[in-house]
């Protein structure tokens, strides 16, 4: 697998996206501290008092961005790995990974900066195209083994 | 790996379940539009006004179904892949994958159509059985390497 | 892959953590039954009446612990698998996996038992260290294939 150029390319983009998700987690923590809005009593107590155990719209926005990442990036980690093993054209494969990666980065930026609709939805939809393409190619290759 | 019949079977069922999750995401979006209930201000503004930035029980139901999928289908993607590499009986392996796949599809239907309890919980529990079985077999095979 | 000692070690710790997540799911269900706090009307109806379709702080705490697991353990399943294929020192690799595994178990205990801050955050941060280390090593190895 580590001599398969497509798989290595997939691995690169996947790791970038996982680091991107870690960044969203770090931003969430920073917004919690700045806005003083904690989900847990013990965190609020350590940061000023029980009244800071509360919701905040900016924190919720970060959490929605993170959740959407989980809903979409985690399936990509599976589909991209299997697709890489199907011996696809390296150029076509790289286009799949690049579209997904750029789409998801724009999705996060559009979410966190509250860009005007439908920027975020378009980024989400574009990023789903390579995922559907990979899923269909996997089904075509594996249907005999159901 | 792509000549391993069990792995290809696992891949087929996994991809079906990922597509099933994408369908839940699409349904969530449709329910948001139909019930006019958006999580983000920018989406509400584009679809009629700020008053539509609100929660809706049908949207929340879709989101719970999706989250439960993440909690259970993503671990299956890992356990099933490793289990496939343990050289299990193809028939027994396929039974594992089929039970999980059918269980999770029934779980989603029961969730979205609000079927009478405990339909959903039974589907969830049955789908967990092959997961526990695979996890235990993996532990048995890998404990010497802890 | 199943003759790669590092990969087998990774597989062992990953399966332990997936079982740990299943335990959190089971605890959540038990707390829902004990506190009579259900997310779905159909579950409340089966367990005493519509008034038990309600939120509960203990249930929400379990759900936050579970969500945090998804945000962090699922990326580990990917990073650890790829890192194992990079031919790392078995001892160094095992230290990576062990730190992550112990950190995440302490994180769950700190969350569910509401231990004093910053126990939970420290466990989270320590567990992220091997993840960042593995991500950087993967990027170093795969950047030529972007």
């Amino acid at each position: 697998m580590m001599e398969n150029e497509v798989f290595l390319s997939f691995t690169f983009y996947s790791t970038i996206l996982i680091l991107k998700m870690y960044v969203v987690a770090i931003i969430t923590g920073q917004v919690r501290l700045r806005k003083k809005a904690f989900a847990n009593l013990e965190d609020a107590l350590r940061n000023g008092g029980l009244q800071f155990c509360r919701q905040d719209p900016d924190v919720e926005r970060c959490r929605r961005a993170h959740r959407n990442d989980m809903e979409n990036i985690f399936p990509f980690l599976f589909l991209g790995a299997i697709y890489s093993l199907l011996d696809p054209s390296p150029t076509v494969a790289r286009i799949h990974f690049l579209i997904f990666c750029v789409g998801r980065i724009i999705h996060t930026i559009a979410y966190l900066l509250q860009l005007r609709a439908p920027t975020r939805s378009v980024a989400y939809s574009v990023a789903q195209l390579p995922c559907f393409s990979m899923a269909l190619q996997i089904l075509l290759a594996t249907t005999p083994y159901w």
Side-chain angles (χ1 to χ4, degrees), chain A:
Chain A
M1 272 156 88
M2 299 317 269
E3 289 166 7
N4 176 337
E5 190 192 332
V6 173
F7 188 78
L8 290 166
S9 171
F10 156 71
T11 300
F12 173 79
Y13 289 108
S14 299
T15 306
I16 292 289
L17 286 171
I18 288 178
L19 287 170
K20 188 208 75 52
M21 291 181 71
Y22 288 162
V23 170
V24 172
I26 292 168
I27 290 174
T28 308
Q30 294 304 312
V31 175
R32 281 198 185 282
L33 284 168
R34 187 166 52 79
K35 302 289 292 279
K36 285 201 160 296
F38 302 97
N40 296 295
L41 288 173
E42 61 271 31
D43 304 340
L45 272 178
R46 191 180 157 82
N47 288 281
L50 283 180
Q51 72 273 29
F52 299 124
C53 185
R54 57 183 181 182
Q55 287 209 336
D56 174 86
D58 292 337
V59 171
E60 293 308 308
R61 178 172 288 276
C62 295
R63 296 182 73 236
R64 287 196 299 276
H66 204 164
R67 177 175 161 152
N68 195 282
D69 275 347
M70 292 201 286
E71 292 173 356
N72 294 285
I73 292 176
F74 291 159
F76 172 82
L77 300 182
F78 179 83
L79 296 176
I82 305 297
Y83 167 72
S84 299
L85 302 178
L86 292 178
D87 205 21
S89 146
T91 308
V92 172
R94 205 167 293 182
I95 291 173
H96 277 72
F97 307 150
L98 192 62
I99 290 177
F100 184 77
C101 188
V102 173
R104 292 308 306 183
I105 290 173
I106 294 176
H107 181 273
T108 300
I109 295 171
Y111 224 139
L112 297 188
L113 298 186
Q114 203 171 336
L115 299 189
R116 200 173 51 197
T119 314
R120 194 190 78 246
S121 318
V122 169
Y124 161 82
S125 303
V126 169
Q128 283 309 89
L129 296 179
C131 291
F132 277 111
S133 164
M134 294 190 297
L136 294 181
Q137 290 176 68
I138 295 170
L139 283 191
L140 278 176
T142 60
T143 299
Y145 301 91
W146 75 277

